[in-house]
Amino acid sequence: MKLPTCLRSTGIHTAATVLALFTATTLPAAAQELRVATSYKLMTLDPHYSTLNENSSLLSHIYERLVYQDEHLNLQPGLATSWRRVSDTSWEFKLRENVRFHDGSPFTSDDVVYTIERIRNFLKPPSGGFQAYTKGIASVSAPDPLTVIIDTDGSQPTLPLALSAIFIMHHDAGGFATTETLNAGTALVGTGPYKFKSWRSGEILELTRNDDYWGARPSWSEVTFRIVESPAARVAALSTGDVDIADFLPARDVEALNQRGAKVESVPAARLNFLQFELAKEAAPGVTDKSGKVIPNPFRDPKVRHALSMAIDRGILVEKILSGFGTAASQFFPNGLSGTSPNLTAQPPRYDEAKALLAEAGFPDGFKLVLSGPTGRYPGDGETLQAVAQSWARIGVAVQPVAVPFSVFNTKRGAGEYGVWYGGCSGESVDVCLEAVLASPDAESGAGALNYGQYRNPAFDKMFEKARALDVGPARDKAFADVTEFVMQDQPIAPLYHFHHISGYGERVGSYVMHPRGWTTAMQALPAAK
């Protein structure tokens, strides 16, 4: 597989071989341990309890999915070798032959039925975080050991994508396994490249190689994940050689790590950080003229939104605040990932044009505003507010940046107390963020869950629904690229950047790059040549 074209490397370049996620390397399987310092605080061994990346990342060593997403977010065969629509409301999945669970029992369609029914019918809140992915399933059946038929409530064109989030468990004739049983480590049986060895909640996860894995054997005979929440402690552990890999490293420590012989790699995250505008209220909170008098909401005018976006120096944000470990943004996901448009690229600031647009909108002298955001939530969040304030001052917009803890920010944002603010969105596909951030809010369907600005564009909603009705594949990707191009002409948000996932590795590792969705796995690490 090719690396993403937007991959950034520091230290020694390792553009050699990075294999598909959840697939083992073909290098000789030597007896060696991989030690990883991870920020992911694994709190449960139940693969269906929560959709947090902590679980998706670490439990992917033990369990596998029918379908998985590669580094471009395209769907690839996993435990299912193929899938097709039987009718508008029915899908057929053909399963991989000669796959065995860690206890030696064969993987069959009964395990898929058990998994889906456990999520749909057994787990109850606060567990059952994966129920959203099975919401459209009416029934699931197993006509033979290697075939699964899934009937849906209406057309579900993204069913394979939904199933790419679900780990397959071994069916138990005695009933559904409880979360408590799984957390005790007594029923952890998957088909993955590693077997469960031991776990201490929030501290350590130990795995051992599955030598009967259906794919090529993993490179590492033993893998130990140490949960190290402090970024400084992860850096220190990598610097001293106490661990072989450390994830989510601060950009400020990259140079020092390189000087100490560690290698550092980064990949743009499948997410966007952006500025969002209040559009529903007659007067936007915190927005006044230069004398402090409340004025009609300027953000309702697309010219104002375009002017503000045009006046952001994204190069400064990326190079200075993110120390180069970011990509200037023009859409929800980094260009090149599934569903993105090659026609949308971030532009340098154009202050004169922005100032002229403000004048056309009736603000030749600009105005004042409060720019709000969290601090410590995302890389560079608080500093970004300061940098945007400096950029906007050049077109006459006086900004008061206010950064607060995320819990405070989230409460105030939800209460509608902000006029313009810093936000973020990530997901398994571009349409997740398009729907959450820009679709007209609808409590019944869940659309617009992150549309705190109350943006409404019926033409966009119509285009979005047509695109979403397409089956997962190139035509759907093209449709969402077109939808994105259309809606960004209205500038409903001001994209800022895609920050990078930064990870480092020591001399025992030959190469390692994180997945764009932020997954840390041993399967992505290749041993150093001896």
Side-chain angles (χ1 to χ4, degrees):
M1 284 183 153
K2 294 186 297 183
L3 289 172
T5 56
C6 48
L7 181 68
R8 174 190 175 92
S9 301
T10 61
I12 297 177
H13 293 267
T14 56
T17 306
V18 175
L19 299 177
L21 187 64
F22 307 133
T23 304
T25 174
T26 57
L27 293 179
Q32 50 186 329
E33 179 190 7
L34 181 71
R35 305 158 301 166
V36 183
T38 179
S39 65
Y40 283 145
K41 192 174 183 180
L42 183 66
M43 301 302 292
T44 180
L45 296 176
D46 187 337
H48 304 147
Y49 186 90
S50 170
T51 59
L52 292 175
N53 255 7
E54 284 88 333
N55 292 343
S56 298
S57 181
L58 299 186
L59 294 182
S60 68
H61 295 79
I62 301 169
Y63 298 98
E64 294 182 291
R65 305 165 170 94
L66 293 180
V67 184
Y68 75 88
Q69 286 183 292
D70 65 18
E71 72 273 19
H72 297 291
L73 305 189
N74 294 319
L75 296 183
Q76 302 292 345
L79 291 177
T81 57
S82 65
W83 49 92
R84 68 182 181 94
R85 275 186 189 263
V86 178
S87 70
D88 190 49
T89 58
S90 185
W91 285 82
E92 177 189 80
F93 289 79
K94 288 294 186 180
L95 306 184
R96 192 175 296 278
E97 298 183 56
N98 303 318
V99 176
R100 291 190 173 275
F101 284 92
H102 297 158
D103 64 358
S105 58
F107 161 66
T108 71
S109 52
D110 288 338
D111 302 304
V112 180
V113 173
Y114 172 91
T115 293
I116 293 175
E117 291 187 345
R118 180 176 187 263
I119 294 171
R120 293 174 64 230
N121 305 323
F122 178 69
L123 295 177
K124 304 298 180 185
S127 61
F130 285 84
Q131 288 176 352
Y133 296 106
T134 63
K135 187 177 181 180
I137 296 177
S139 65
V140 55
S141 58
D144 64 60
L146 294 177
T147 303
V148 173
I149 299 295
I150 298 179
D151 294 316
T152 60
D153 293 319
S155 179
Q156 295 289 334
T158 60
L159 181 65
L161 179 62
L163 294 180
S164 73
I166 294 175
F167 290 120
I168 302 301
M169 291 181 62
H170 183 34
H171 78 277
D172 186 344
F176 295 115
T178 65
T179 298
E180 291 73 22
T181 298
L182 293 169
N183 284 343
T186 57
L188 249 63
V189 179
T191 61
Y194 287 94
K195 298 179 180 181
F196 173 76
K197 184 177 180 181
S198 69
W199 171 66
R200 290 195 299 275
S201 177
E203 295 182 25
I204 196 168
L205 173 67
E206 294 181 307
L207 307 167
T208 189
R209 183 168 59 206
N210 175 16
D211 288 330
D212 294 322
Y213 184 56
W214 59 267
R217 286 171 58 184
S219 298
W220 311 96
S221 59
E222 306 289 330
V223 178
T224 300
F225 285 94
R226 303 178 191 173
I227 288 75
V228 183
E229 294 186 80
S230 165
R234 292 196 300 278
V235 169
L238 181 61
S239 297
T240 59
D242 288 342
V243 298
D244 303 303
I245 292 174
D247 63 14
F248 298 104
L249 300 176
R252 64 178 179 271
D253 293 313
V254 168
E255 184 176 354
L257 283 169
N258 283 332
Q259 291 175 352
R260 295 169 188 166
K263 282 80 90 177
V264 177
E265 302 285 352
S266 76
V267 63
R271 65 167 301 117
L272 172 69
N273 286 87
F274 53 87
L275 299 182
Q276 196 168 21
F277 307 101
E278 167 58 54
L279 300 173
K281 296 177 180 177
E282 293 289 339
V287 179
T288 68
D289 64 16
K290 291 296 185 66
S291 68
K293 180 182 177 181
V294 174
I295 59 175
N297 187 344
F299 307 132
R300 287 183 164 185
D301 189 334
K303 291 180 180 178
V304 172
R305 302 196 297 269
H306 275 286
L308 292 174
S309 183
M310 194 181 295
I312 296 172
D313 191 337
R314 294 170 177 82
I316 290 291
L317 302 182
V318 168
E319 295 303 324
K320 300 300 183 182
I321 294 176
L322 298 180
S323 300
F325 290 93
T327 299
S330 60
Q331 55 189 314
F332 278 103
F333 281 3
N335 202 312
L337 295 188
S338 177
T340 58
S341 169
N343 299 321
L344 294 176
T345 57
Q347 300 296 317
R350 304 193 299 277
Y351 297 114
D352 290 341
E353 291 180 49
K355 193 169 179 61
L357 270 181
L358 281 185
E360 286 182 34
F363 300 99
D365 300 320
F367 48 85
K368 295 172 64 176
L369 62 81
V370 175
L371 177 59
S372 304
T375 181
R377 174 72 172 180
Y378 308 107
D381 48 14
E383 297 92 336
T384 293
L385 302 183
Q386 299 284 345
V388 171
Q390 293 175 22
S391 289
W392 284 355
R394 298 184 61 169
I395 62 171
V397 176
V399 179
Q400 178 187 352
V402 177
V404 296
F406 180 74
S407 58
V408 176
F409 167 78
N410 199 36
T411 299
K412 289 181 175 289
R413 179 179 59 176
E417 297 184 22
Y418 296 142
V420 55
W421 59 92
Y422 178 103
C425 183
S426 64
E428 62 268 17
S429 57
V430 164
D431 59 291
V432 170
C433 288
L434 282 168
E435 181 181 36
V437 179
L438 301 182
S440 297
D442 185 330
E444 184 175 346
S445 68
L450 299 179
N451 188 354
Y452 297 105
Q454 299 294 304
Y455 174 72
R456 295 178 184 273
N457 185 332
F460 161 74
D461 291 337
K462 187 175 181 179
M463 285 184 69
F464 179 83
E465 288 302 321
K466 286 184 177 180
R468 187 162 63 172
L470 299 174
D471 288 354
V472 173
R476 179 185 172 92
D477 291 343
K478 176 62 166 58
F480 278 121
D482 293 343
V483 168
T484 302
E485 289 180 22
F486 172 80
V487 74
M488 289 311 296
Q489 292 177 22
D490 201 29
Q491 203 71 65
I493 59 173
L496 296 175
Y497 47 69
H498 315 286
F499 65 73
H500 290 190
H501 297 308
I502 308 172
S503 52
Y505 54 95
E507 61 181 10
R508 297 179 64 247
V509 177
S511 69
Y512 180 78
V513 182
M514 288 186 72
H515 190 277
R517 292 191 60 191
W519 294 328
T520 300
T521 78
M523 292 81 80
Q524 292 160 258
L526 302 181
K530 293 184 177 180

